[in-house]
Amino acid sequence: MTAPVSIREIGADEFTLVWPLFRSVVAAGDTYSYPPDLAFEQARDWWTSPPTRCFVAEREKLVLGCYMLRPNQPGLGDHVANAGYMVSPAVRGQGVASAMCEHSMTLARDAGFTAMQFNFVVSTNTSAVRLWQRHGFRIVGQVPGAFRHAAHGPTDVYVMHRHL
């Protein structure tokens, strides 16, 4: 029997736990617009500085994934949440991203957010697009060629949204 996935919040002092995963996902150049050579300090600050909150998904102290949750915009747009997720290639397709999505939506609701929006879902990341759709997100916009994909060149991105 496989142990359950546990998800907990981490601060800047624990970002080293998720850094190897974060670095490898970003360096691949196929899902995140961050620079492939993003420095640890900048990544840590972006994902752990308030109002952004960072979470790790673990099984028996093994990092399976991580996500961040924050307001999508400041001020008059801060009632809509934004999140970003990363999953270890070794456990993709095992429900980790789904568990993190559910966890983030519950936290967002509890924090008073009324909706969640993903601003930059790379269209070629079809498994993520399908997963977010299964969780009630709809594609509400498409930006042509907005992502310089490492393998495919200019690639469309989707804006995905759902009410909470």
Side-chain angles (χ1 to χ4, degrees):
M1 175 86 181
T2 303
V5 173
S6 66
I7 301 172
R8 65 181 179 87
E9 188 166 6
I10 62 170
D13 60 326
E14 288 188 281
F15 193 76
T16 54
L17 290 172
V18 301
W19 176 241
L21 169 61
F22 192 105
R23 183 179 56 224
S24 68
V25 167
V26 170
D30 59 358
T31 57
Y32 274 83
S33 64
Y34 300 145
D37 60 350
L38 181 66
F40 169 83
E41 294 78 12
Q42 185 68 67
R44 181 193 60 210
D45 291 350
W46 284 347
W47 274 46
T48 63
S49 295
T52 304
R53 299 170 65 189
C54 186
F55 299 83
V56 61
E58 301 170 299
R59 181 180 293 129
E60 298 174 345
K61 299 195 180 198
L62 176 67
V63 172
L64 308 176
C66 59
Y67 80 89
M68 65 81 181
L69 178 69
R70 65 182 174 206
N72 191 49
Q73 297 293 323
L76 300 179
D78 69 359
H79 60 292
V80 177
N82 173 254
Y85 311 83
M86 296 184 182
V87 177
S88 168
V91 296
R92 289 192 183 141
Q94 296 180 25
V96 175
S98 186
M100 291 192 301
C101 184
E102 287 293 334
H103 189 267
S104 68
M105 288 192 298
T106 298
L107 280 177
R109 266 187 226 101
D110 292 349
F113 291 105
T114 60
M116 185 174 281
Q117 180 172 310
F118 304 146
N119 301 317
F120 209 86
V121 181
V122 178
S123 62
T124 55
N125 190 358
T126 56
S127 59
V129 172
R130 284 191 308 268
L131 177 65
W132 307 146
Q133 289 173 325
R134 281 197 304 272
H135 283 279
F137 288 84
R138 292 183 313 110
I139 296 170
V140 296
Q142 183 169 345
V143 185
F147 180 65
R148 293 189 309 267
H149 195 287
H152 303 295
T155 302
D156 293 359
V157 298
Y158 299 137
V159 177
M160 300 185 75
H161 177 274
R162 71 156 284 164
H163 292 284
L164 297 172

